[in-house]
Amino acid sequence: MTETTIKAQEIKEQIMHLIGEYYQETFAKQERQGVPVSGKVFDHRELQLITESALDGWFTTGRFNKDFEARLKDFIGVQHLLTVNSGSSANLIASLTLCSSELGEKRIKPGDEFITVAASFPTTINPLISYGAVPVFLDVDIPSYNIDTSRIEEAISDKTKAIVIAHTLGNPYDLEKIKAICDKHDLWLMEDSCDALGALYQGKHVGTFGDIASLSFYPAHHITMGEGGAVFMKDGRLKKIAESLRDWGRDCWCPTGKDNTCGKRFEWQLGQLPEGYDHKYIYSRIGYNLKITDMQAALGLAQLEKLPGFVAKRRENFDLLKTGLEKFSDKLILPQASPGSEPSWFGFLITLKDGLERKAVIDKLTQKGIGTRLLFAGDVRKQPYFSDIDYRSIGELENTKTILDSTFWIGLAPMLDKADIDYVISAFEEICLCSP
């Protein structure tokens, strides 16, 4: 190494040491207020890796992202994984991949139908709706809060092309039955796993059963990049399409910052372009730029080191909450894991029985500093933006109506300890014992 390189390395080591000291003097001494539903958990390692990425002077996607994609792919046990800038973008890329003309007659076209649930997050279904596909809504089961599989085949028509559903708050749905239905009717299965990183079904990670799946790395999720997400799949054909859609729709597959990987950059003739047109500027699909920065990936790498501990803590907190609240089963419906699954719980869902009014309960919890959230859209059909959207429903969706009126969830994120959980249980004891 040159003298300049040695000096730079010494400065870098000093910076990393100071970051550790800074973390101890700031974030490590912060006192948390109340019991949040979610939030980021980090230490000096995240700050150091973000800084190391910045010191590279490479501000788009690069070596940190390459490492993150490889490590997360190995953790999940899937052949292909691509990072994107949010979980919603992951759903967008996953959905549009299944709409690609390269998939022939099996591709999803405007007017085709896909089976889903109304008690979900809007961006699970919005990309296909925007493309012109028609959602067909089924009810969910309580207390798993996942799709009612008993009526899926009833929902299938000659226009059905896919089943598109999320694993609700980290609780896997019945993948064995749903995958069998997809195989029987030659349907795509898109697994929205944004709330379920680390969840297992029959010993395998969710997202690996279907054709394509998504993840989110928003601060509320199992790991965070601030903003970020991923789309993953087994089929290399789908990976090629998804990568192009993420990277402007270009035909070239050169990594960012690389030129002429194929050795034929100026030797292609595609579309109506002149022969030899620069392959880096040939676009075969309607695409976007949905990549992440290397600083986000650096943050994700540090978080990935903590992921097994995060998942274990979420499961521990879930068990503590369920044990502590079971005494109020006459007033509360508590969540239940799907058979054959090991959930990676995102939150603890509660449905109130007759005699308890949700707003009153949430108000009391809020007064005690205990955060709450509803189950996302509740019933997406009732949302303002859905007033002029075409859809079908199978049955009355009675459990969805119950969720819309009487369901909410509380936190069990890794920053919460037993004292926090005990505090939450004591709050419910006060609420339930004081209610008729």
Side-chain angles (χ1 to χ4, degrees), residues 56 278 325 372:
D56 276 1
D278 188 349
L325 295 177
T372 62

Side-chain angles (χ1 to χ4, degrees), residues 98-251:
L98 301 182
C99 298
S100 173
S101 60
E102 294 159 75
L103 302 177
E105 286 302 310
K106 193 176 178 182
R107 74 182 180 108
I108 302 172
K109 303 182 297 297
D112 285 339
E113 296 180 344
F114 65 98
I115 294 169
T116 188
V117 298
S120 184
F121 197 81
T123 59
T124 302
I125 62 175
N126 285 352
L128 284 176
I129 292 173
S130 297
Y131 185 71
V134 178
V136 179
F137 293 115
L138 269 70
D139 206 357
V140 297
D141 167 73
I142 296 176
S144 77
Y145 299 92
N146 282 315
I147 190 170
D148 177 4
T149 58
S150 68
R151 303 193 71 176
I152 291 178
E153 295 213 61
E154 178 185 344
I156 295 173
S157 74
D158 58 359
K159 295 182 179 180
T160 307
K161 288 292 184 68
I163 297 178
V164 179
I165 39 178
H167 299 283
T168 305
L169 291 196
N171 188 17
Y173 43 75
D174 188 343
L175 280 158
E176 182 176 20
K177 184 169 185 178
I178 292 171
K179 185 66 169 66
I181 292 172
C182 287
D183 290 344
K184 176 182 176 181
H185 296 277
D186 196 24
L187 306 177
W188 297 107
L189 174 56
M190 177 181 148
E191 295 181 62
D192 182 335
S193 305
C194 288
D195 297 339
L197 178 57
L200 305 176
Y201 182 82
Q202 296 181 348
K204 292 175 56 180
H205 282 270
V206 299
T208 62
F209 292 81
D211 298 285
I212 198 163
S214 57
L215 288 169
S216 173
F217 308 130
Y218 189 70
H221 287 86
H222 292 70
I223 63 172
T224 184
M225 292 180 172
E227 300 284 354
V231 58
F232 56 102
M233 68 294 288
K234 293 172 284 192
D235 189 333
R237 177 181 56 163
L238 297 183
K239 184 259 186 181
K240 179 182 178 182
I241 297 168
E243 189 170 27
S244 176
L245 292 170
R246 181 196 66 174
D247 298 357
W248 302 281
R250 67 180 185 170
D251 192 73

Side-chain angles (χ1 to χ4, degrees), residues 301-402:
L301 276 172
Q303 288 275 288
L304 201 53
E305 295 171 1
K306 300 176 173 68
L307 178 56
F310 287 168
V311 174
K313 186 64 175 174
R314 287 176 176 274
R315 290 173 177 160
E316 176 187 329
N317 285 341
F318 177 90
D319 290 341
L320 289 171
L321 279 168
K322 189 160 187 181
T323 299
L325 295 177
E326 277 178 342
K327 64 182 76 127
F328 303 115
S329 59
D330 60 325
K331 297 186 177 182
L332 310 175
I333 299 176
L334 304 181
Q336 182 175 306
S338 301
S341 75
E342 298 174 59
S344 179
W345 297 104
F346 182 61
F348 191 91
L349 277 158
I350 295 171
T351 296
L352 303 175
K353 295 185 177 181
D354 292 343
L356 287 176
E357 195 269 323
R358 185 173 63 192
K359 185 178 185 305
V361 171
I362 287 177
D363 285 346
K364 290 178 182 178
L365 293 173
T366 302
Q367 291 167 13
K368 293 178 178 296
I370 299 170
T372 62
R373 293 289 187 273
L374 304 188
L375 185 52
F376 307 132
D379 182 343
V380 72
R381 302 173 303 168
K382 310 295 185 182
Q383 292 288 336
Y385 85 97
F386 225 79
S387 60
D388 59 352
I389 290 175
D390 186 27
Y391 67 87
R392 288 198 296 123
S393 297
I394 305 301
E396 297 300 317
L397 277 60
E398 293 177 0
N399 285 339
T400 302
K401 176 66 165 61
T402 297

Side-chain angles (χ1 to χ4, degrees), residues 45-58:
R45 180 64 175 156
E46 279 82 351
L47 301 180
Q48 287 173 336
L49 280 183
I50 292 171
T51 304
E52 182 178 347
S53 170
L55 293 175
D56 276 1
W58 183 261

